[in-house]
């Protein structure tokens, strides 16, 4: 069964802490994405990557950075967590190419609370 | 820019009722359209999709038809079950931005026995 695995389902951090959210996919997908999900706002794209060491800003990149050192792993980094980053974070991946590029496979999500 | 507007929830129905969740979109070009579903405690998963005008996507008894003239992609099911309780997201992908999806705000559906 193909999977996108997010390492932490629930995290509680303090304001100012550095936070790492890890995501690993086993489908050899080229594209990987980080979204945040908030009630009433749907999913908003933070960053995405279409290749190793490549990254592109999404709609709300402020306060976040990403790392993609290996094809299967895409990390989201909060350099200094703030309370307004309390949210559900969803990682997704997809295959490159017109037929598959837009069908995303999602992880189960990481719920981050910043106190 | 691209946008997706979904009917606001929450929606509560009795088992075997008919379901419609409205979705309209704004996009340049000819987008592909999707419905994703998120069951409690899980990530999103693709429910159905349509890639061109008049296409009908279907899966698990759900259907949606790509209507270019009304820029709509409404989700329907003739008889809902308790197990259909979930959050439903409409999304589009513009061919000019193939790596990204634009999502609607989601509609929470609760089906009561």
């Amino acid at each position: 069964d193909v999977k996108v695995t997010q390492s932490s389902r629930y995290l509680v951090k303090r304001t100012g802490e550095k936070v790492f959210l890890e995501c690993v996919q086993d489908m050899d997908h080229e594209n990987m994405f980080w979204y945040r999900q908030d009630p009433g706002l749907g999913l908003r794209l933070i960053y995405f990557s279409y290749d190793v060491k490549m990254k592109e800003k999404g709609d709300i990149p402020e306060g976040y950075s990403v790392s993609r050192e290996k094809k299967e792993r895409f990390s989201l980094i909060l350099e200094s967590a703030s309370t307004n980053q309390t949210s559900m974070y969803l990682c997704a991946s997809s295959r490159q190419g017109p037929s598959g590029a837009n069908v995303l496979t999602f992880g189960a999500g990481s719920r981050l609370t910043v106190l | 820019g691209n946008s997706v507007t979904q009917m606001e929830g929450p929606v509560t129905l009795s088992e075997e009722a008919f379901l419609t969740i409205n979705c309209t979109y704004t996009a340049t070009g000819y987008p592909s359209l999707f419905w994703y579903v998120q069951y409690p405690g899980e990530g999103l998963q693709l429910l159905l999709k349509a890639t061109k005008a008049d296409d009908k996507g279907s899966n698990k008894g759900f259907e949606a038809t790509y209507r270019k003239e009304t820029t709509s992609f409404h989700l329907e099911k003739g008889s809902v079950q308790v197990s259909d309780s979930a959050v439903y997201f409409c999304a589009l992908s513009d061919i000019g931005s193939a790596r990204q999806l634009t999502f609607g705000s989601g509609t929470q559906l609760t089906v009561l026995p």
Side-chain angles (χ1 to χ4, degrees):
Chain A
D1 196 16
V2 294
K3 273 188 178 176
V4 175
T5 302
Q6 295 183 231
S7 55
S8 302
R9 290 298 303 271
Y10 301 95
L11 302 93
V12 179
K13 299 291 182 181
R14 297 212 173 269
T15 301
E17 281 193 77
K18 190 169 186 176
V19 181
F20 293 87
L21 299 179
E22 305 286 342
C23 175
V24 177
Q25 51 96 2
D26 64 1
M27 297 165 283
D28 200 36
H29 282 172
E30 292 82 7
N31 301 327
M32 296 189 75
F33 306 81
W34 275 106
Y35 291 88
R36 66 177 280 175
Q37 181 181 5
D38 300 289
L41 297 177
L43 274 68
R44 294 179 291 167
L45 183 64
I46 304 171
Y47 269 96
F48 69 101
S49 167
Y50 53 88
D51 202 353
V52 176
K53 297 193 185 295
M54 304 300 289
K55 61 184 179 184
E56 296 274 352
K57 292 180 179 179
D59 300 320
I60 52 164
E62 297 78 16
Y64 303 94
S65 62
V66 290
S67 172
R68 190 154 181 215
E69 296 296 319
K70 294 184 177 181
K71 189 176 185 180
E72 67 271 18
R73 187 181 297 270
F74 192 37
S75 302
L76 181 69
I77 302 153
L78 288 67
E79 293 288 343
S80 178
S82 63
T83 55
N84 62 12
Q85 293 178 308
T86 292
S87 186
M88 171 70 84
Y89 290 88
L90 293 172
C91 177
S93 70
S94 72
R95 191 170 302 286
Q96 198 74 277
S99 62
N102 306 315
V103 178
L104 271 59
T105 301
F106 281 85
S110 298
R111 184 166 293 282
L112 172 67
T113 301
V114 183
L115 302 176
Chain B
N2 297 338
S3 67
V4 175
T5 301
Q6 282 183 241
M7 66 183 285
E8 290 190 17
V11 174
T12 302
L13 296 173
S14 298
E15 207 165 22
E16 299 184 3
F18 184 85
L19 169 71
T20 299
I21 301 178
N22 290 338
C23 172
T24 57
Y25 67 90
T26 303
T28 55
Y30 303 96
S32 295
L33 300 174
F34 305 82
W35 278 101
Y36 280 80
V37 58
Q38 185 180 33
Y39 297 105
E42 298 182 15
L44 279 71
Q45 56 186 272
L46 179 68
L47 181 60
L48 53 85
K49 70 173 184 176
T51 57
K52 60 182 188 296
D54 299 326
D55 267 3
K56 178 186 283 188
S58 61
N59 186 25
K60 299 182 181 181
F62 291 89
E63 293 183 340
T65 301
Y66 188 162
R67 301 285 188 201
K68 189 169 183 293
E69 63 277 12
T70 55
T71 62
S72 65
F73 193 55
H74 304 321
L75 183 68
E76 297 182 337
K77 187 175 185 182
S79 177
V80 293
Q81 305 300 311
V82 172
S83 57
D84 294 326
S85 298
V87 182
Y88 292 81
F89 292 90
C90 185
L92 72 81
S93 177
D94 193 315
I95 197 166
S97 179
R99 298 184 187 91
Q100 300 187 46
L101 291 178
T102 300
F103 284 89
S105 57
T107 302
Q108 171 78 56
L109 170 67
T110 301
V111 180
L112 302 175

